[in-house]
Amino acid sequence: MNTQTHHHEKDKQDLNKFGYAQELLRSMGGFSNFAISFSIISILTGAVSLYGHGLTYGGAGMMGFGWPLVALFVMIVAASMAELASAIPTAGALYHWASILKNKRWGWYTAWINLIGQIGIVAGIDYSVALFADPLLSDVFGYSSTNTTILICFAVILLSHGILNHVGIRSVSRLNDFSAWYHIVIVIVLVVSLAFFSKGSLNSVDYLFKVGETFSDKPYMFAFLIGLLQAQWTFTGFDASAHTIEETVNPRVRAPWGIFTSVAYSFVFGFIMLAIVTLSIQDAGAATGADNAFIYVISEALGGDFGRVILWLVTAAMWFCGLSSITSFSRMMYAFSRDKGMPFSKQWAQISKKFRTPAKAIWLSVVLSFLLALIDYIIKRNNPDTTYTTIAFLTAVSVVGLYVAYGIPILLKLIAKSQGKFQAKHLGPWHLGKYSDIIGILGLLWIVFISVIMVIPPNEMAGYALGGMIIVLIIMDFAYYKNHFPGPQAALGTSMAEILRREKELESNPSGGSGISHNG
């Protein structure tokens, strides 16, 4: 038996002990697993599309202090999640972790809160692409960029991502690999261009750490906290490495590293990029007053044609980010539907026989993401005096939804550990050792803090939307799912002890278990 075959058999058995058959095509390597999270984090999407938001509220100091502050705490959260991915390597990720560590109802709520965040992140990413692509296209074709044309552009972008994800994981995996390198190269191109070809001289490094200047009507410290949305939204979606864990070879090591290193590399490259862009600002007030602060800064620094080429390259990176986010969202939906956690679950759990992808889940991801932006569009058409921006609304929904979902299994693991239900023998090969508890507690404190900050005025609409969604979830739960949701690995218990028992059974009879498929 060669090494690759051995890995595939071991990975299959690891999945079997959680009660599932190997249905998805397991072909992703370690770099591909890292690449999907790195591409969804996409410093050329979050940090760029919300650059004006960060600059408006926190000034230049938002880039010098806000970005590293958020990155530090996100790496703490990511480390705790990586540890759980190594222990419980299924595509359900957060949802399965919560179910196994506590019970199926905790898992059900975790899954739905994560899905809400996934809708927000896909909508936010692809809307960001449209915010850049539509003005650039309007210059080429001579039309005026409006909210309507941006929405149409957004729909076309979503459609392209749906088609490519439908075609197959191999093509998307290759594009994700390319995307990771592309992001790094474009950051280097952007930095070199601004450093050596800027029309004006760069500010001194001190400017990057300038605090006290805000272009909002809020006191600076309060405004600074609001501005953290820029960095916090950038560092979302790294759970994609866990959602694609059933398609990754040697996943209990590679997926955890994918989660953690995607955040770490994004921090480093993102800081370098934000530093040079901010140091190239000639008039911060004019930049915050422009329709798109990042486009304004690049255009002023590099001039017309050169600036537009750079902006198109950045827009392409955003497009790759959206492609990866649909992959992650659809895998989460597939895993949840496989366990009958959604209305019409049988449909969303179907695998395309030709492409071995969750095709219907992919298209549902596209439709739901479009509807979130469409609802916001309709609200703004009927209330043109609203002060919040669409991108801030979409991104805040995704931040709170995703991070609350990240926090639930971390909290449940700490509780299970204190009760002796989660022990050292339950850990995977990637773990935090004696620092596990303190890292988990720090991560939870940050999640609580940031979840409050993201929904306070001027972004209270995101809070209202999330509150409404939670009320709908509670109604769904008590009306049906409380008594009818079988939970994950329905044929087994949901405790770590039962999973270890299954593992020993499979080890003693390697050919005796093939897992339980969602149809079985």
Side-chain angles (χ1 to χ4, degrees), residues 148-326:
T148 302
T149 60
I150 289 171
L151 187 71
I152 294 170
C153 186
F154 169 66
V156 172
I157 291 161
L158 273 173
L159 184 65
S160 69
H161 290 154
I163 292 170
L164 277 168
N165 270 282
H166 188 135
V167 167
I169 187 63
R170 281 200 175 108
S171 58
V172 171
S173 179
R174 292 190 192 101
L175 286 170
N176 284 332
D177 290 355
F178 175 76
S179 172
W181 289 113
Y182 182 84
H183 272 74
I184 294 170
V185 169
I186 298 307
V187 167
I188 293 171
V189 169
L190 180 61
V191 168
V192 170
S193 298
L194 291 172
F196 296 102
F197 302 105
S198 181
K199 293 194 296 183
S201 59
L202 298 180
N203 295 301
S204 66
V205 175
D206 294 347
Y207 181 69
L208 185 64
F209 302 98
K210 180 180 180 181
V211 295
E213 182 180 51
T214 180
F215 298 93
S216 70
D217 58 355
K218 306 286 191 297
Y220 183 75
M221 286 307 299
F222 184 62
F224 183 88
L225 293 177
I226 295 172
L228 290 177
L229 175 63
Q230 178 198 9
Q232 192 66 49
W233 183 58
T234 304
F235 292 110
T236 53
F238 48 87
D239 53 319
S241 290
H243 292 309
T244 53
I245 206 164
E246 290 182 29
E247 295 157 272
T248 302
V249 179
N250 193 17
R252 304 188 82 173
V253 173
R254 287 174 169 173
W257 277 120
I259 291 169
F260 186 77
T261 56
S262 62
V263 175
Y265 279 98
S266 295
F267 161 52
V268 174
F269 283 99
F271 184 76
I272 294 169
M273 178 191 73
L274 286 174
I276 199 69
V277 170
T278 303
L279 293 177
S280 69
I281 293 175
Q282 299 302 313
D283 186 342
T288 58
D291 290 338
N292 187 311
F294 190 86
I295 290 178
Y296 177 87
V297 171
I298 299 302
S299 298
E300 288 293 302
L302 299 178
D305 292 340
F306 189 18
R308 276 190 289 274
V309 169
I310 296 295
L311 289 169
W312 271 115
L313 293 173
V314 170
T315 303
M318 293 182 178
W319 183 89
F320 283 119
C321 175
L323 178 70
S324 301
S325 67
I326 289 285

Side-chain angles (χ1 to χ4, degrees), residues 115-131:
L115 284 174
I116 290 169
Q118 292 280 1
I119 295 169
I121 197 171
V122 171
I125 291 168
D126 277 4
Y127 200 84
S128 296
V129 185
L131 283 173

Side-chain angles (χ1 to χ4, degrees), residues 28-49:
M28 295 178 71
F31 182 81
S32 294
N33 185 277
F34 154 83
I36 190 169
S37 285
F38 185 73
S39 294
I40 293 178
I41 291 174
S42 181
I43 53 178
L44 290 168
T45 302
V48 166
S49 58

Side-chain angles (χ1 to χ4, degrees), residues 375-376 379-380 385-390 392-393 458-461:
I375 290 169
D376 177 78
I379 291 172
K380 287 202 159 187
D385 296 329
T386 52
T387 56
Y388 73 91
T389 62
T390 298
F393 167 74
N459 216 23
E460 67 272 18
M461 279 300 296

